[in-house]
Amino acid sequence: MDYSFKEIEKKWQRYWIENATYKVTENPSKPKYYVLDMFPYPSGAGLHVGHPLGYIASDIFARYKRLKGFNVLHPMGYDAYGLPAEQYAIQTGQHPAVTTEQNIKRYREQLDKIGFSFDWSREVRTCEPEYYKWTQWAFIKMFNSVYCNLCKKALPIENIISVFEECGTEGLNLACSEPMTFTAEFWKSRTEKEQQEILMNYRIAYLADTMVNWCPQLGTVLANDEVINGVSERGGYPVEQRKMRQWCLRVSAYSQRLLDGLEKIDWTESLKETQRNWIGRSEGAEIRFYLSPDPSPQERGEIPENPSREMLENPKGWFKNTTDENNWKFLINIAKDFRSNQTEAENELWQAIRAKKIGYKIRRQHIVDGFIADFINLEKQVIIEVDGGIHLTTEQKERDKQRTAILNQFGFEVIRFTNEEIFDNVQNVALKIKDYLDKVPSKRTATTPLSCGEGSGERSFVVFTTRPDTIFGVTFMVLAPESEYVSQVVTPEQKSEVDTYLDATKKRTERERQADRKVTGVFTGSYAINPANGVEIPIWISDYVLAGYGTGAIMAVPAHDSRDYAFAKHFNLPIIPLIEGADVSEESFDAKEGTMINSGFLNGLTVKEAIKKAKEYIAENNLGKVKVNYRLRDAIFSRQRYWGEPFPIYYKDGMPYTVALEDLPIELPEVDKFLPTETGEPPLGRAKNWKYEKYPLELNTMPGFAGSSAYYLRYEDPHNDNALVSREANDYWGNVDLYLGGTEHATGHLIYSRFWNKFLFDLGIVGKDEPFQKLINQGMIQGRSNFVYRVKNTNTFVSYNLENKYDTTEIHVDVNIVSNDVLDIEKFRAWRPEFADAEFILEDGKYVCGYAVEKMSKSMFNVVNPDDIVEKYGADTLRMYEMFLGPLEQSKPWDTNGIDGVHRFLKRLWGLFYKGDEFVVTDEPPTAEELKALHKIIKKTAYDIEHFSFNTSISAFMICVNELATLKCSKRAILEPLVIVLSPFAPHIAEELYHALGNTTTVCDAQFPEYDEKYLAESSVKYPVSFNGKVRFTLDFPADTQAKEVEKSVLENEQTAKFLEGKEIKKVIVVPGKIVNIVF
RNA sequence: GCCCGGAUGGUGGAAUGGUAGACACGCAAGACUUAAAAUCUUGUAAUCAUCGCGAUUGUGCGGGUUCAAGUCCCGCUCCGGGUACCA
């Protein structure tokens, strides 16, 4: 009987299904082990030979653990939401659910052929309502939670609301979008809608206007990890920056915990390092820089020494650039001056409306866009003007009209009262104001950059630096072009130049900015004062400073920062070295080492000491504060797409509310087309009756990582309709013990998943803080392309080694019609009609192809399908060959050339059991040599599996079977344990032979044999004898020979004298069991 | 630029500081066969050689530690991956 793998594999695959061999249930009497693969996105192309690599490795491990007595959870499912299915739907009209279903079916067929031990009864698909119910549920939980920086965990929002009611923000430190402080009174006086707006600032899932990566071709926003080099990860389309209102997840709140958690888990150092870099913690200080005061308008001669009040009320008329607020300080002074010199009517009204007498906070003499408004309510952006005598002139009326129009443009409404009305009945005027305010919807909660109230007259900005020690070397400041500070510091003289620069910057896409790294920038005209030494330093704008990091402003130290250095050289700004011996004539000295000079009180300290001292100085002198910054940004969670989870959110009065938990899931609706609506709304805008209790539902859907962030928990309890996972199931299965997948998820899925899990941990839903205890990255399988060489302008092809004698073009040829780099000429002729009459110049009667390692893709004709390999060699051969290819974590090209060796090994193993049709296994007792071969493989396999060194254990199997074949061993006592040890690698043949040996249960329920050191002991040791490190001959000694005796007998050996060449021995080293070295 | 890997025969790759090249592919020779496939046996790092004794060199390059280095240390070169004006 031959090794007929086809029948065997079909037979046992059926048996495993019929006997539910791989179904697992919680079993407290056994220790658990959870082995997980990153679940695949079922693409239309199906699996290629690279996909199963990780699955095979994890399957070997799972089967091994089962043999070792563990209750192994080894599930599989599909990450079924995603862009490709939707893009395909847009092109063809085919519903993504249909193509996804087809692709899943195809994946399943392919997976089933390889003999995995997945428990398919636990399958999950992210696009199924029973599954995404729990994605939506988690989102609601995040919406209803805030992150407390003091207790370092998520808390229910109700707890925080009750604190707001009692003491406002006092004593709280919550993760938020914008820092806010308010009192209990303030909170209580807000309308429900206003309270909702405030809460949005704190929610873990929140709605915000943020700069997003907008991809016009895909018609959606993308997360940072979905953008690579300025183009989309999927499709490679350009991405631009745009401000949009989007759902976000406050991942940044967990930065420190995500960093700390890395210490507790068993991941490769390189992967942890990638995550550390992505989180990007940097310790430093925030330092406040005050602007150097501008010359007053009088000093500049722009206005008369003693302007009339009439002029001052309308500074816009003669300040050329009041919107730029460069005359801020002057205006503030005027406003202050006005306040103490109010007109009688103004004073009367002020007394009637001040201190919330009418229920609204009113400010007086407030600067708005260069105008000084008499009274203002900021919240509703309503300005109240009191018109005295001067307002009665025609000219002034015209000016007032213009002024009102300008203020309206900025969203302010203006109501006017005359002196007479006020004197007549001030209470009546107050009431009118109140009525007016009641009717106007509130517009805002924070102060607008266009206005400035009492007390905020001093202009300053804050920078973040990790090198506070270099403060004495700050020779200029740089603002990001998008910085809020820009408008505050630009002088009238520089305005047009700055505007030109800002426009140019805006036009450049992210990609262009990255492509050319030219030094660009513009001077604002303003100066700041160095808080350490009082020196005036110019303020510049440049796009090398990013608005999104730190405060969007930096203090530039060209001597010790390479980017600042390049900028300083380009614009000829001063460079002051601060470290002794640092040569900054050619480049900056960025290293944090050396002794400080030119640095006042820091002189003589080392850089490290200086950093510490500078921080202390900054804190003590109130110049700023010590600060830790993280690069990690909040995750943007909205996608303007169809094929994703709908949000369980509806809008009432413009504010979002969550759907009741019992109404989950909110199912994805049908739409007529998978495109945005005519009005530019996302595809869900096309859904009919897309409402919840008459209120409109959210039109965005969730991104790809939503469904993949907690899927490992669902496997633990996949059919539970009452919880994501029950506490009992989670207590038993815990977190994933071994997670296998590609490195490409290092900064996406593996961050989001950890964040999601930590959030659920805070809520007490899961018991483990980290989701994946051990993680292994399998290497990528690259393609190995083959080439034929066509002689130019002919239909003649020349073999690889003769190719250089002709003028040829290289053509990719389908690797499936090439074997060991030899072309199958008949198949080649049939492959393409134009090659049907091709002629060939051969070498040694063969056509040899060239080869190259490239990405595996259809266009390179180098895709190898696992089905074809299974068809030709069987699943066991495929499994073992993929493992034999090389170390699991290493990337390597797929090369079918070596597969015969593995297949031969299985046939040789088969040959130990069957000679012809006869089953030749006997019950004879084994010899010592046979036992040694067996116990060697038991020991080696166990060690190698635990160290994920599968390629070496397969070598060991080959050695073992070669040895047994040489010994002609067909003894049950050897072969039965061998089959069990082999079964994780080649389960089909193992199952067949295990049953052939008379067993009636599956080999999966066998016990992994224990090795016994006594069978491994060698009776004799072969000592290499070396002279000055060079091995010359070997000598055999009984294993228990003492070192002294070995030395003696080596020295007495006649060969020793020969190699000594009569020289004197200086030293003899005998390493017991290893080697002898004679030094002379 | 920074961080992380890696570099060993014609090829994939082995090697707790102790005989470098296990195991496999490929190739060559042989056996079986009318022949081919399959299978089995032998050989296969390079150079020299009085090609069945042997010798020399050899793990990207240059140093070092050690009785002994592919392995440890220092300095480079090249290749692969990740990441980036992150202050």
Side-chain angles (χ1 to χ4, degrees), chain A residues 492-687:
Chain A
E493 294 79 21
Q494 293 298 107
K495 183 159 176 16
S496 71
E497 210 183 315
V498 168
D499 284 348
T500 312
Y501 182 72
L502 295 184
D503 283 349
T505 314
K506 236 175 254 168
K507 275 185 202 130
R508 298 212 305 168
T509 63
E510 196 73 1
R511 199 171 156 74
E512 283 167 340
R513 273 207 210 181
Q514 275 172 8
D516 76 303
R517 205 50 74 83
K518 265 189 285 182
V519 177
T520 62
V522 63
F523 178 48
T524 62
S526 294
Y527 293 82
I529 296 175
N530 186 332
N533 55 13
V535 173
E536 264 194 357
I537 45 180
I539 303 171
W540 288 68
I541 298 170
S542 175
D543 66 1
Y544 84 88
V545 175
L546 306 177
Y549 185 76
T551 61
I554 61 157
M555 55 177 232
V557 186
H560 303 291
D561 181 286
S562 51
R563 296 151 303 174
D564 298 344
Y565 187 87
F567 195 83
K569 279 278 173 184
H570 190 264
F571 290 105
N572 213 7
L573 294 159
I575 298 167
I576 305 172
L578 302 170
I579 292 171
E580 204 170 54
D583 174 15
V584 295
S585 57
E586 291 298 324
E587 56 180 359
S588 63
F589 181 86
D590 291 15
K592 290 187 191 178
E593 54 198 39
T595 307
M596 305 301 295
I597 52 167
N598 300 333
S599 294
F601 65 91
L602 297 173
N603 279 340
L605 299 177
T606 65
V607 168
K608 276 182 185 155
E609 291 163 352
I611 291 176
K612 192 162 172 265
K613 179 126 188 221
K615 282 182 183 170
E616 287 164 10
Y617 179 84
I618 287 159
E620 280 164 19
N621 293 282
N622 227 6
L623 306 178
K625 59 180 179 184
V626 175
K627 178 89 196 281
V628 176
N629 260 345
Y630 298 91
R631 197 187 82 107
L632 186 67
R633 304 261 75 90
D634 285 349
I636 292 165
F637 204 62
S638 297
R639 297 291 181 274
Q640 291 69 40
R641 305 291 297 199
Y642 174 72
W643 192 232
E645 298 87 349
F647 281 87
I649 290 286
Y650 63 93
Y651 289 89
K652 188 164 84 180
D653 197 13
M655 287 308 292
Y657 291 86
T658 57
V659 163
L661 291 178
E662 56 269 26
D663 291 327
L664 294 181
I666 297 297
E667 292 200 27
L668 187 64
E670 291 305 315
V671 292
D672 57 342
K673 273 191 233 167
F674 306 102
L675 289 168
T677 65
E678 280 69 27
T679 52
E681 285 177 327
L684 291 193
R686 296 173 173 276

Side-chain angles (χ1 to χ4, degrees), chain A residues 753-779:
Chain A
S753 234
R754 292 181 62 219
F755 154 76
W756 205 285
N757 186 81
K758 282 177 189 298
F759 171 73
L760 295 176
F761 173 77
D762 287 352
L763 265 57
I765 309 290
V766 299
K768 298 275 188 174
D769 186 29
E770 283 289 340
F772 313 120
Q773 193 53 43
K774 182 174 177 65
L775 185 135
I776 301 266
N777 289 124
Q778 85 271 21

Side-chain angles (χ1 to χ4, degrees), chain A residues 7 97 156 170 178 199 261 317 378 529 533 630 642 718 813 815 844 1033 1046:
Chain A
E7 281 168 45
E170 183 80 41
E178 292 284 338
L199 291 176
L378 280 176
I529 296 175
N533 55 13
Y630 298 91
Y642 174 72
V813 60
V815 294
D844 302 333
F1033 59 93
V1046 172

